């Protein structure tokens, strides 16, 4: 059954991507996010699991669906799973028609995903070849030198992805001074984090401060792929520090390793491109329907599947519109 869920979860992210892609470049990020969320939620109800959303669209009083604690799936004796979702990672990206937006989820056995609060997390991520060569507290230059050596490159050949934010001014400056090439992104750091594990993606290392929930989703993929990720929560208020302690982190600023964020190998990660990115192609609407590009990764076997799907929307008109009665 767990093997079969990989394809089922691909259908979930495909539906969200198709729904959101209709809003690409139309300047309405909320409509794009709502469409993705509704479609993803509807598709979950076609899968025989007993799922609980542990990372989602917000608390129960903040989101109409896919909120933290919501039950998803048909039940009927299915596997009990924790689910982490981001129906549209990169709302601004889709609204502006930029590159790198995805629909993404991670699933694991109950209790195996860190229930990350909605706050910032400092992150550093590399693929399998550079695993063991980074430390979140090491100087930027040391991490770059170690990763370059592990990859058989010069620092000047490295490609580093960093969110384009004022808080990263010093980090960007130090990377440039060291000679590394930089890709500044406007939003959405899950896709580039996962891309570090694929040598032909053009991404060697991702670092900087982004969302903590997105960090856990990325960690699920990196664990499956054999890469390395380290994180540290960045609580900015006493309330956020209290939330960290409530989830079992006595030291809210402790270094989080992969085992702290994702436990065990019973993990599935699925993502579908909405707009073209370094890892996945975006949705393309054609005279035949719509084409999607999805990656599904199973932690237990390490199998990576890229799925290039053509959806005949004339035969399933509700697919990707939140009413997924057709399978």
């Amino acid at each position: 059954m767990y093997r079969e869920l990989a394809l089922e979860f691909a259908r979930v992210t495909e539906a969200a991507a198709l729904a959101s892609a209709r809003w690409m470049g139309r300047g309405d990020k909320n409509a794009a996010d709502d469409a993705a969320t509704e479609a993803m939620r509807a598709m979950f109800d076609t899968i025989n699991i007993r799922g609980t959303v542990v990372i989602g669209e917000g608390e129960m009083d903040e989101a109409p669906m896919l909120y933290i604690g919501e039950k998803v799936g048909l039940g009927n004796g299915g596997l009990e799973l924790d689910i982490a979702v981001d129906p549209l990672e990169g709302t601004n990206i889709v609204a502006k028609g930029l590159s790198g937006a995805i629909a993404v989820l991670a699933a694991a056995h109950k209790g195996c995903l860190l229930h990350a609060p909605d706050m910032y997390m400092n992150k550093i991520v590399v693929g399998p070849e550079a695993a063991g060569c980074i430390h979140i507290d090491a100087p930027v230059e040391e991490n770059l030198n170690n990763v370059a050596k592990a990859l058989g490159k010069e620092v000047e050949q490295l490609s580093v992805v960093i969110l384009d934010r004022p808080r990263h001014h010093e980090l960007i400056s130090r990377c440039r001074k060291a000679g590394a090439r930089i890709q500044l992104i406007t939003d959405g750091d899950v896709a580039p984090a996962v891309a570090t594990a694929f040598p032909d993606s053009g991404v060697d290392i991702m670092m900087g401060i982004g969302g903590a929930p997105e960090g856990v989703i990325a960690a699920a993929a990196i664990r499956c792929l054999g890469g390395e990720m380290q994180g540290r929560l960045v609580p900015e208020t006493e309330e956020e520090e209290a939330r960290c302690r409530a989830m079992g982190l006595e030291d809210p600023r402790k270094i989080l390793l992969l085992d702290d964020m994702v436990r065990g190998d019973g993990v599935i990660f699925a993502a579908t491109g909405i707009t073209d990115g370094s890892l996945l192609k975006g949705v393309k609407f054609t005279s035949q329907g719509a084409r999607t590009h999805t990656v599904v990764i199973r932690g237990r076997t390490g199998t990576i599947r890229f799925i290039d799907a053509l959806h005949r929307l004339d035969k399933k008109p509700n697919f990707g519109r939140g009413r997924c009665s057709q399978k």
Side-chain angles (χ1 to χ4, degrees):
M1 180 181 291
Y2 210 77
R3 185 185 302 114
E4 294 170 356
L5 285 178
L7 182 57
E8 295 286 4
F9 288 145
R11 293 173 58 247
V12 172
T13 57
E14 284 173 349
L18 284 166
S20 181
R22 301 174 191 274
W23 290 92
M24 188 188 79
R26 295 171 63 181
D28 193 337
K29 67 177 185 179
N30 292 328
D33 191 43
D34 289 347
T37 301
E38 182 183 351
M40 180 174 277
R41 180 64 182 84
M43 189 57 76
F44 267 124
D45 280 345
T46 70
I47 305 175
N48 187 27
I49 58 170
R50 291 176 292 154
T52 301
V53 176
V54 298
I55 291 175
E57 292 293 277
E59 302 293 340
M60 184 183 300
D61 59 350
E62 298 172 344
M65 60 186 72
L66 293 180
Y67 52 81
I68 296 171
E70 184 178 12
K71 304 299 181 182
V72 296
L74 293 173
N76 299 334
L79 287 175
E80 191 170 12
L81 300 174
D82 281 352
I83 307 290
V85 302
D86 197 341
L88 169 50
E89 215 245 339
T91 54
N92 286 318
I93 291 173
V94 170
K96 296 177 181 180
L98 303 176
S99 62
I102 60 172
V104 62
L105 70 83
H109 292 294
K110 184 177 176 61
C112 290
L113 293 179
L114 178 68
H115 299 188
D118 187 11
M119 65 178 64
Y120 285 130
M121 176 189 283
N122 193 14
K123 316 166 192 178
I124 182 168
V125 191
V126 293
E129 294 182 7
C133 298
I134 58 170
H135 195 284
I136 197 167
D137 285 337
V140 173
E141 298 80 5
E142 181 179 327
N143 279 321
L144 293 175
N145 284 325
N146 289 342
V147 171
K149 183 177 180 180
L151 298 179
K153 297 182 177 183
E154 301 294 331
V155 171
E156 291 78 6
Q157 296 172 319
L158 288 181
S159 179
V160 185
V161 171
I162 304 172
L163 275 167
D164 190 6
R165 298 289 188 273
R167 62 178 177 266
H168 290 147
H169 176 78
E170 181 182 353
L171 173 62
I172 293 167
S173 177
R174 291 176 68 174
C175 286
R176 285 174 172 164
K177 189 173 182 180
R181 301 179 305 144
I182 298 175
Q183 297 180 45
L184 294 178
I185 57 173
T186 59
D187 295 281
D189 63 2
V190 173
V194 178
T196 62
F198 294 86
D200 60 351
S201 70
V203 180
D204 296 312
I205 181 169
M206 194 207 77
M207 58 175 70
I209 297 173
E214 292 84 356
V216 174
I217 295 175
I222 294 299
R223 183 177 183 87
C224 294
L225 293 164
E228 183 177 7
M229 175 175 175
Q230 297 178 14
R232 177 185 280 119
L233 295 173
V234 187
E236 298 182 295
T237 64
E238 291 184 2
E239 180 184 358
E240 288 186 346
E241 293 213 12
R243 290 182 67 186
C244 292
R245 293 189 174 92
M247 55 186 272
L249 290 175
E250 287 301 319
D251 179 5
R253 291 173 176 80
K254 70 168 284 190
I255 295 174
L256 299 172
L257 305 179
L258 279 177
D259 283 343
D260 297 311
M261 293 182 273
V262 183
R263 292 187 291 277
D265 62 1
V267 183
I268 296 177
F269 173 91
T272 301
I274 300 173
T275 61
D276 287 345
S278 56
L279 182 63
L280 295 167
K281 300 173 185 175
V283 175
K284 304 293 189 297
F285 291 101
T286 72
S287 59
Q288 296 176 304
R291 197 173 211 116
T292 56
H293 191 212
T294 301
V295 63
V296 185
I297 312 168
R298 289 184 62 210
R300 184 158 295 154
T301 62
T303 301
I304 306 166
R305 287 184 172 88
F306 284 95
I307 302 172
D308 187 1
L310 179 62
H311 304 270
R312 289 287 302 274
L313 300 181
D314 58 327
K315 292 184 177 291
K316 46 181 183 181
N318 293 331
F319 188 81
R321 291 182 181 270
R323 301 178 299 279
C324 302
S325 57
Q326 291 91 353
K327 299 183 182 180

